[in-house]
Amino acid sequence: MSAEWILEFDNVSLEGHWPYDQGLAGLSCKLAPGDLMLIELGAGGSHTPLCDLAGGVTVPELGRVLFRGDDWAALDPDQAAAARARIGRVFAQPRWISNLDVDENITLSARHHTPRPEREIEADAADLARAMGLPDLPRARPALVRAPELRLADWVRALAGERDLILLEYPLQGVYRERWPVLLDQLGRARSKGAAVLWLQDEWPAEWQGGVAPTRVAELKEGRCLLVERNRHGQAV
């Protein structure tokens, strides 16, 4: 396993077929511990395979995706599941197991794929929930939790526990603006502990930039795989 890179896209190509509305062609990039790579998807956004590929859910047609030095395609199901326990994700559209309470959804991965005691897992998640403005972990079915609280719970699920990689798809949608600084602060704490972040956003308002300090900014263009690195002045590099 490579200790230098958390996530590597190695000449990855994938056609833009359902459920994705744009593809990738020859994408290569790397994220080190603490990196935050912001990818702008343009006005209106787009459903891309980037986060599914990063988490090993989707397999590229060409190239490789490596997590902590391991090719997702070479891992058996148990190895892949254990690796995903080190990945947090905020989905563009909330995804919850409907027959589990929200708190059970949040702690599910850690309970099954880490040796940590359940009491410790739940206590840490509850502390994080309170830091984000929730009174406690929501202990009800997802359908019974108000949308703003459910979105904050999304963040708790993504950041709770030991994370090497955090995948964010439009993560501030549905969150009250006054909660943004708290969420960005918690994201900064995760980065300081070595987590790498891949953040997808339709556009990047200047008011957010100071709070997250991306190490790289890029954009997908023309509906496919053209990843254009830009410096802080918006110039292609």
Side-chain angles (χ1 to χ4, degrees), residues 123-144:
D124 285 353
D127 287 345
L128 182 57
R130 286 188 284 269
M132 290 188 179
L134 292 169
D136 194 3
L137 292 175
R139 302 179 191 278
R141 294 293 195 256
L144 300 178

Side-chain angles (χ1 to χ4, degrees), residues 181-203:
V182 175
L183 299 179
L184 299 180
D185 177 68
Q186 292 295 331
L187 186 63
R189 292 171 184 263
R191 291 174 65 192
S192 70
K193 295 177 182 179
V197 180
L198 182 64
W199 183 314
L200 275 57
Q201 191 70 39
D202 50 358
E203 57 184 350

Side-chain angles (χ1 to χ4, degrees), residues 22 40-41 219-228:
Q22 77 173 289
E40 295 179 340
L41 301 177
E219 60 182 350
L220 286 177
K221 298 180 66 175
E222 300 177 4
R224 283 187 58 82
C225 72
L226 302 178
L227 186 63
V228 181

